């Protein structure tokens, strides 16, 4: 059977249970196995003899089993004590004895050990040396049984029972010789993410077996690759170094897999000249260095090679997609020539210093409200920030071309992204076209709709401009009217939720799509807006989730990126306070403070992760839990969080009743808002909260994005340690929007010094979204920060770290740009073209 990267692992393994366990980890094909990377590698183990072992060190040594004894334990189970000695073995000048200890509650495990470790068996042991009753001891060490044919010749000085002396092969041999076994256990060992069904060691065994199959096949084919000529010299140097460090027991370790022989089956992706320029390994060499390293340094070099490859492929894919977008046709939306067009530079507080693109003007159709963008900016009662002016100029310039704009606007909380989005939509409609703004929630869609209608609807130039709302909760007659207007091609603005992705929504004159919070929409949804034979709409993506530059470059590298970092004038900094829930005094002071602010006519949010008290899994759709490693201890009680029953998180139902019963809130009107509420209820609750009929809104994270109530000055977030930092930053941004002093309280049960407390210190001490996002990415991983819908809990990136590898990403992008300039279609780089295609497919599959 010929083995290729697409061969299924199950067809190569006789152990079907192990193949099934690998499949549960996502390892289905040979390619999956090679790309199932270890997360670390152990140091090389010193090879020695028992007599020179130092307590506390990890060491490997050969020995003969002298005695195997089993003792019952007082609380059940058994303890196996195996006495071993190395006197008389070749290369051992001064022999000694040691004890191997194994504990188990399973009798069949002890029996299995006894069957392997019979008296007289030749073994190689690797483990951490300890001392017990003055003797050297190893607890649950790694043991390899060596196949040998004449134990009496090997152990003349070791007393063992005659029955144990045998000329037959060991029945459970793991290695053909001492040298092979020592080479195996003393090498640095890759450590893989394992499961209850399969251990890291068994994962390593399976991957090594696959590499050896590829090696044997390459030997048969006579495949040799020039790129791996350096491997032999490097291996010889490392082997010599290992021999110098060890007591001369083992000869040079054998080569298990020759990268030169598997290079044909694992072709390189990075072009040869670029690989050599960057000092990278061949791809086959890198796989061997990662899964079968001679030294930790070789492992690190293999990881660095494939990390660069991943960056290079992802950046090439993004640049190709960006270049492809210029082959599509779009509606050019250049500045219309209108009487009084200079108003942009002269009229209104926000009109100055906004440059218009120099593209040829296009006269609007008779129905288009000409000069609307100028009129809107001139009517604003505040001065635009320089960032807003620059971004609007970039957008209007992009939209003047006849190929589709693809731009991401990333704005700090409260930086004025909505004004930028409205300006872009007005440019589209004043040129006689249609614009759609799509929001992730109905609450946010309604707020956008009211904001646009309030700011634009009163302008004389917009008297005949339809501004419409399209949500799933609309009555049938209203929905039909909106759909009919859009289908007619009439110049209009539509604010919609996911309803815009339905096939019933047709807008033949659509020139611009604005997507708010892109990471909440899947690739297939977004793509639905760009299907058809007509022009492709310009796309403007807005996000308030702060994304570091390298992350944005990796996930949104096909987009032009603009940043709005400057906050509008009049904003006061928000005071952030971390409150331990067990501190009743501070909790009481917090509630008294909030009551004083309510008495001043202000409002307060209270945020809980769960909806119902009785339903432990009643998390709202927007809850962004902060996933942590299995060993993590968020609350700091000394027990890993996955090993203890976690106390239930606070719920909206419970907290609204609890707070309403407190004397501090006597006479205060409460309301609740969750994702389960119907559209009419959500609208009614927000109306009453905005008007002041409700003073405290107890809600889930449905308020996270876009909810804008200027009188809201306090927000309390319970169980704060369980949220992602970026989401806490977003929630904090719901207050302080009216120019009044505001507070954010992060209530936690995490102990001082715990991981949860450390994370909250980041949010307490910083209001810089980029800094918070970097910390969030480092703690959680990019896929989780950018959203499960966008990139999947398992990111399509396996090795690349978008924060730590900033320099790698920057370099890879420059290299990818140079390659594309020379070979735009990648016809001369077939392997790279295939890898780019695979990357785009995997990214879309994750996002679907």
């Amino acid at each position: 059977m010929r083995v290729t990267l697409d061969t299924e692992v199950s067809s190569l393994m006789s152990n079907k249970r192990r193949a099934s366990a690998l499949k549960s980890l996502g390892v289905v094909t040979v390619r999956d196995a090679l790309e199932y990377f270890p997360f670390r590698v152990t140091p090389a183990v010193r090879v020695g003899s028992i007599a020179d072992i130092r307590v506390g060190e990890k060491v490997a040594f050969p020995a003969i089993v002298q005695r195997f004894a089993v003792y019952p334990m007082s609380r059940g189970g058994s303890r196996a004590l195996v006495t071993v000695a190395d006197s008389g073995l070749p290369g051992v000048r001064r022999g000694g004895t040691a004890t191997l200890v194994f504990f188990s509650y399973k009798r069949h495990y002890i029996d299995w050990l006894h069957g392997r470790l019979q008296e007289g068996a030749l073994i190689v042991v690797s483990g951490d040396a300890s001392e017990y009753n003055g003797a050297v001891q190893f607890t649950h060490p790694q043991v390899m049984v060596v196949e040998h044919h004449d134990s009496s010749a090997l152990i003349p000085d070791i007393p063992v029972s005659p029955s144990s002396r045998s000329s037959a092969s060991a029945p459970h041999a793991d290695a053909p010789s001492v040298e092979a076994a020592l080479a195996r256990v003393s090498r640095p060992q890759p450590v893989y993410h394992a499961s209850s069904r399969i251990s890291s060691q068994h994962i390593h065994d399976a991957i090594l077996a696959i590499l050896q199959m590829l090696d044997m096949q390459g030997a048969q084919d006579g495949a040799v690759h020039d790129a791996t000529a350096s491997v032999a010299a490097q291996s010889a140097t490392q082997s010599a170094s290992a021999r110098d460090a060890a007591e001369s027991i083992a000869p040079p370790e054998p080569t298990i897999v020759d990268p030169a022989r598997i290079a044909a089956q694992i072709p390189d992706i990075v072009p040869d000249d670029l690989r050599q320029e960057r000092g990278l390994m061949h791809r086959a060499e890198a796989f061997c260095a990662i899964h079968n390293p001679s030294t930790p340094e070789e492992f690190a070099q293999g990881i660095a090679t494939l990390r660069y490859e991943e960056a290079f492929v992802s950046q090439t894919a993004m640049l190709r997609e960006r270049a492809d977008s210029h082959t599509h046709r779009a509606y050019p939306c250049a500045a219309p020539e209108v009487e009084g067009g200079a108003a942009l530079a002269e009229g209104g507080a926000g009109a100055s210093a906004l440059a218009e693109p120099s593209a040829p003007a296009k006269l609007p159709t008779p129905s288009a409200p000409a000069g609307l963008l100028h009129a809107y900016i001139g009517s604003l009662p505040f001065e635009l920030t320089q960032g807003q002016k620059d971004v609007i100029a970039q957008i209007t310039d992009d939209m003047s071309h006849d190929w589709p704009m693809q731009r991401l606007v990333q704005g700090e909380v409260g930086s004025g992204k909505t004004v930028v989005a409205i300006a872009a939509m007005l440019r589209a409609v004043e040129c006689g076209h249609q614009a759609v703004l799509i929001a992730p929630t109905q609450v946010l869609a309604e707020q956008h709709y009211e904001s646009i209608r309030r700011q634009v609807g009163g302008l004389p130039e917009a008297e005949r401009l339809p501004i419409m709302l399209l949500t799933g909760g609309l009555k049938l007659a209203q929905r039909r009217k909106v759909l009919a207007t859009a289908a007619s091609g009439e110049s209009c603005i539509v604010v919609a939720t996911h309803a815009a992705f339905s096939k019933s929504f047709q807008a033949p004159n659509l020139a611009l799509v604005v997507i708010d919070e892109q990471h909440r929409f899947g690739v297939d949804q977004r793509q639905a807006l760009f299907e058809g034979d007509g022009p492709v709409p310009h796309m403007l993506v807005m996000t308030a989730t702060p994304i570091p530059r390298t992350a944005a470059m990796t996930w949104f590298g096909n987009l032009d990126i603009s940043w709005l970092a400057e906050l509008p004038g009049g904003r006061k900094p928000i005071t952030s306070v971390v409150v331990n829930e067990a501190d009743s005094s501070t909790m009481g002071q917090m509630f008294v403070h909030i009551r004083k602010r309510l008495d001043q006519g202000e409002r307060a949010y209270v945020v809980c992760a769960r909806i119902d008290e009785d339903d432990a899994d009643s998390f709202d759709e927007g809850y962004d839990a902060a996933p942590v490693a299995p060993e993590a201890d968020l609350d700091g009680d000394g027990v890993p969080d996955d090993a203890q029953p976690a106390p239930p998180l606070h719920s909206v139902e419970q907290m609204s009743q609890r707070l309403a019963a407190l004397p501090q809130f006597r006479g205060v009107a409460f309301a609740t808002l969750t994702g389960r509420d119907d559209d009419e209820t959500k609208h009614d609750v927000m109306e009453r909260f905005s008007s002041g009929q409700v003073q405290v809104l107890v809600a889930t994270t449905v308020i996270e994005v876009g909810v804008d109530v200027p009188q809201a000055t306090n927000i309390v977030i319970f169980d704060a340690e369980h949220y992602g930092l970026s989401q806490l930053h977003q929630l904090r941004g719901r207050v302080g929007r009216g120019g009044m002093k505001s507070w954010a309280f992060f209530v936690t049960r995490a102990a001082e010094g715990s991981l949860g407390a450390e994370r909250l210190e980041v949010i307490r001490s910083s209001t810089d979204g980029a800094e918070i996002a970097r910390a969030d990415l480092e703690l959680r991983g990019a896929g989780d920060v950018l959203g499960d819908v966008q990139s999947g809990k398992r990111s399509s990136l396996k090795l690349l770290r978008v924060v730590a590898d900033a320099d790698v990403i920057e370099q890879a992008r420059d290299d990818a740009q140079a390659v594309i300039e020379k070979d735009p279609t990648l016809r001369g780089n077939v392997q790279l073209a295939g890898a780019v295609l695979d990357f785009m497919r995997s990214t879309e599959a994750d996002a679907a």
Side-chain angles (χ1 to χ4, degrees):
M1 177 182 178
R2 186 163 189 82
V3 182
T4 69
L5 292 178
D6 295 321
T7 301
E8 292 193 1
V9 171
S10 59
S11 67
L12 305 177
M13 299 182 66
S14 58
N15 189 331
K16 299 307 178 184
R17 293 179 64 181
R18 187 168 296 181
S20 176
L22 287 169
K23 185 176 181 180
S24 70
L25 297 176
V27 177
V28 178
T29 66
V30 168
R31 179 183 285 102
D32 295 332
L34 297 181
E35 294 181 355
Y36 193 81
F37 299 115
F39 61 90
R40 68 180 177 90
V41 66
T42 64
V45 177
R46 185 179 73 85
V47 176
S49 59
I50 295 175
D52 69 359
I53 290 175
R54 296 181 293 272
V55 173
E57 77 167 333
K58 190 175 183 68
V59 67
F61 59 92
I64 298 292
V65 176
Q66 284 187 301
R67 184 169 180 266
F68 189 103
V70 180
Y71 302 94
M73 293 190 294
S74 59
R75 296 186 179 181
S78 301
R79 177 181 52 152
L81 298 182
V82 185
T83 304
V84 300
D86 63 356
S87 299
L89 288 179
V92 176
R93 293 190 294 269
R94 185 165 57 93
T97 61
T99 303
L100 315 183
V101 184
F102 301 89
F103 301 93
S104 181
Y105 288 95
K106 299 178 179 178
R107 181 66 193 182
H108 65 80
Y109 173 73
I110 300 296
D111 292 340
W112 175 79
L113 278 177
H114 196 191
R116 285 169 51 83
L117 306 181
Q118 298 177 2
E119 292 181 2
L122 177 59
I123 63 174
V124 166
V125 180
S126 176
D128 296 304
S130 61
E131 184 179 7
Y132 183 74
N133 287 338
V136 176
Q137 178 174 288
F138 293 84
T139 303
H140 283 274
Q142 180 183 0
V143 177
M144 296 194 72
V145 179
V146 177
E147 181 179 359
H148 66 93
H149 296 274
D150 190 359
S151 60
S152 61
L154 286 171
I155 50 174
D157 301 325
I158 300 177
V160 294
S161 63
S163 62
S164 69
R165 296 183 182 272
S166 171
S167 61
S169 299
H172 303 286
D174 300 308
S177 66
V178 168
E179 291 80 6
L182 283 172
R184 176 69 180 276
V185 300
S186 63
R187 294 173 71 99
Q189 295 294 305
V191 182
Y192 301 81
H193 288 291
S195 70
S196 60
R197 298 179 60 188
I198 186 169
S199 67
S200 173
Q201 183 60 53
H202 285 159
I203 294 171
H204 187 213
D205 291 342
I207 296 175
L208 276 184
I210 289 171
L211 282 171
Q212 288 172 325
M213 291 179 193
L214 292 171
D215 180 73
M216 292 173 59
Q217 184 169 286
Q220 293 171 358
D221 294 342
V224 178
H225 199 285
D226 294 339
T228 58
S230 63
V231 177
Q234 183 183 35
S235 177
T237 301
Q238 291 164 351
S239 295
S241 175
R243 291 196 304 276
D244 292 341
E247 188 175 346
S248 300
I249 293 177
E253 61 183 57
T255 300
I256 297 179
V257 178
D258 182 357
R261 289 198 292 264
I262 67 173
Q265 292 99 310
I266 307 177
D268 220 344
I269 290 174
V270 179
D272 286 344
D273 57 344
L274 180 57
R275 174 172 56 79
Q276 293 170 9
E277 181 183 348
R278 297 289 169 235
L280 305 173
M281 291 177 162
H282 185 278
R283 194 166 195 246
E285 188 181 353
F287 278 126
C288 291
I290 291 172
H291 295 297
N292 189 38
S294 298
T295 65
E297 292 74 22
E298 186 182 57
F299 174 84
Q301 188 180 1
I303 290 290
T305 292
L306 294 186
R307 185 170 283 153
Y308 172 87
E309 177 193 283
E310 198 164 56
F312 180 69
V313 170
S314 68
Q315 293 308 298
T316 304
M318 294 295 101
L319 290 172
R320 278 291 308 277
E321 185 175 337
R322 182 174 177 178
D324 289 346
S325 69
H326 284 204
T327 64
H328 298 290
R329 186 169 62 91
Y331 290 115
C333 299
E337 291 183 349
V338 295
E339 185 177 353
L344 185 64
E346 300 174 356
S352 63
L354 182 61
E356 280 293 338
S358 58
K362 175 188 174 184
L363 291 176
T365 60
S367 63
L372 187 51
L373 173 56
H374 294 75
Y376 167 66
I377 293 177
S379 71
L380 292 174
F382 52 84
E383 178 78 18
L384 293 180
T385 66
Q386 188 58 48
Q388 287 174 313
K389 296 172 186 177
D390 292 343
V391 173
I392 292 174
Q394 291 169 351
I395 291 171
T396 52
D397 183 53
D398 288 348
M399 293 177 65
S400 69
H401 300 299
D402 60 359
W403 63 80
M405 170 183 71
Q406 290 189 299
R407 183 169 290 277
L408 168 70
V409 175
Q410 175 179 313
E412 187 57 87
V413 175
S415 60
K417 296 182 298 298
T418 302
V419 170
V420 171
I422 293 175
M425 290 189 289
L426 294 181
R427 172 48 50 91
V429 298
E430 72 178 359
C431 291
H433 303 297
Q434 299 170 311
V436 174
L437 187 155
I438 304 175
T441 67
Q442 173 153 334
V443 170
L444 182 52
E446 290 176 346
Q447 292 229 348
H448 278 314
Y449 169 68
E450 293 295 339
S451 177
I452 296 171
R453 196 172 65 166
R454 183 175 63 252
Q455 296 182 47
V456 177
L459 297 175
E461 293 82 356
E463 183 179 355
R464 292 179 296 159
L465 175 67
I467 302 173
M468 303 176 292
L469 177 67
L470 178 63
T471 68
L474 280 183
K475 293 181 179 179
L476 183 59
Q478 293 175 299
R479 183 179 181 85
R480 284 177 174 172
K481 182 178 179 180
V482 174
L483 293 176
T485 303
S488 72
E490 179 182 354
S491 180
C492 63
I493 292 176
V494 179
V495 181
T497 56
H498 293 71
F501 298 118
S502 68
K503 292 186 177 180
S504 62
F505 179 74
Q506 300 293 326
N509 195 17
L510 184 61
L512 174 68
V513 173
V514 180
I515 298 180
D516 197 7
E517 295 302 315
Q518 148 145 326
H519 64 275
R520 292 173 179 255
F521 299 105
V523 170
D524 290 342
Q525 289 178 313
R526 297 194 301 270
Q527 194 61 36
L529 291 167
F530 302 96
E531 294 175 348
D533 300 327
V536 173
H538 299 285
M539 182 173 70
L540 177 63
V541 175
M542 300 195 303
T543 179
T545 300
I547 306 169
R549 175 177 172 79
T550 50
M553 186 185 298
T554 303
W555 266 266
F556 305 113
N558 57 328
L559 308 178
D560 294 301
I561 304 174
S562 299
W563 277 268
L564 284 173
E566 183 182 357
L567 296 180
R571 287 289 177 89
K572 293 180 179 167
I574 300 170
T575 301
S576 299
V577 183
V578 176
V579 181
N580 192 316
E581 190 173 352
D583 184 350
S584 57
S585 175
T586 304
M587 290 285 290
Q589 292 175 26
M590 177 184 72
F591 292 140
V592 169
H593 161 80
I594 293 174
R595 177 56 191 260
K596 288 180 179 178
R597 306 317 306 168
L598 297 178
D599 290 341
Q600 295 296 317
E602 299 169 16
R603 319 269 197 282
Y605 296 105
V606 176
V607 178
C608 303
R610 291 193 300 127
I611 299 174
D612 299 327
E613 184 177 7
D614 296 332
D615 186 354
D617 296 321
S618 62
F619 296 102
D620 217 338
E621 182 179 348
Y623 174 58
D624 182 21
V628 292
E631 301 83 8
D633 182 17
L634 277 179
D635 53 17
D637 66 352
V639 181
D641 294 324
D642 68 339
Q644 60 178 329
L649 304 184
H650 293 297
S651 70
V652 169
E653 179 185 47
Q654 166 215 20
M655 195 52 61
S656 61
Q657 296 173 359
R658 174 181 161 188
L659 294 182
L662 292 177
Q664 294 96 322
F665 293 113
R666 186 174 293 112
V668 171
F670 283 78
T672 64
L673 184 68
T674 75
R676 285 185 185 173
D677 295 326
D678 58 42
D679 296 335
E680 187 175 344
T681 300
K682 290 178 182 176
H683 180 78
D684 177 64
V685 168
M686 288 307 302
E687 282 287 326
R688 289 191 292 129
F689 184 62
S690 298
S691 66
Q693 297 176 53
V694 167
Q695 297 161 283
V696 178
L697 181 61
V698 185
T700 58
T701 54
V702 293
I703 67 164
E704 173 191 357
V705 178
V707 173
D708 189 359
V709 178
Q711 297 81 9
T713 59
N714 284 268
I715 184 168
V716 181
I717 304 168
F718 281 91
D719 302 304
E721 73 273 19
H722 290 279
Y723 291 83
L725 295 182
S726 291
Q727 187 167 43
L728 291 176
H729 183 55
Q730 294 299 319
L731 290 167
R732 177 169 58 187
R734 295 313 98 207
V735 298
R737 307 178 75 85
M740 295 178 282
K741 186 169 177 56
S742 299
W743 292 262
F745 298 96
F746 303 98
V747 181
T748 177
R749 288 181 258 195
E752 184 177 353
S754 66
L755 175 61
E758 290 178 9
R759 295 175 64 254
L760 291 180
E761 178 59 23
V762 174
I763 198 74
R764 185 203 66 79
S765 60
S766 177
T767 57
D768 184 338
E771 179 183 334
I772 291 168
R774 278 192 292 271
D776 216 4
L777 279 167
E778 290 168 357
L779 289 166
R780 304 173 57 198
D784 298 307
V785 172
L786 295 179
D788 295 342
V789 176
Q790 172 62 24
S791 58
K793 287 188 177 180
R794 288 185 58 207
S795 168
S796 56
L797 296 178
K798 295 181 174 66
L799 292 174
L800 195 63
R801 305 160 302 180
V802 294
V803 175
D805 297 325
D807 293 342
V808 176
I809 294 173
E810 295 273 8
Q811 183 65 72
R813 190 171 183 85
D814 291 342
D815 292 342
Q817 183 67 57
V819 168
I820 289 177
E821 287 175 359
K822 293 179 182 178
D823 184 10
T825 63
L826 298 181
R827 290 182 180 177
N829 293 274
V830 177
Q831 297 300 329
L832 175 59
V836 166
L837 182 61
D838 289 342
F839 175 82
M840 295 307 298
R841 286 173 175 170
S842 67
T843 301
E844 292 183 6
D846 284 338

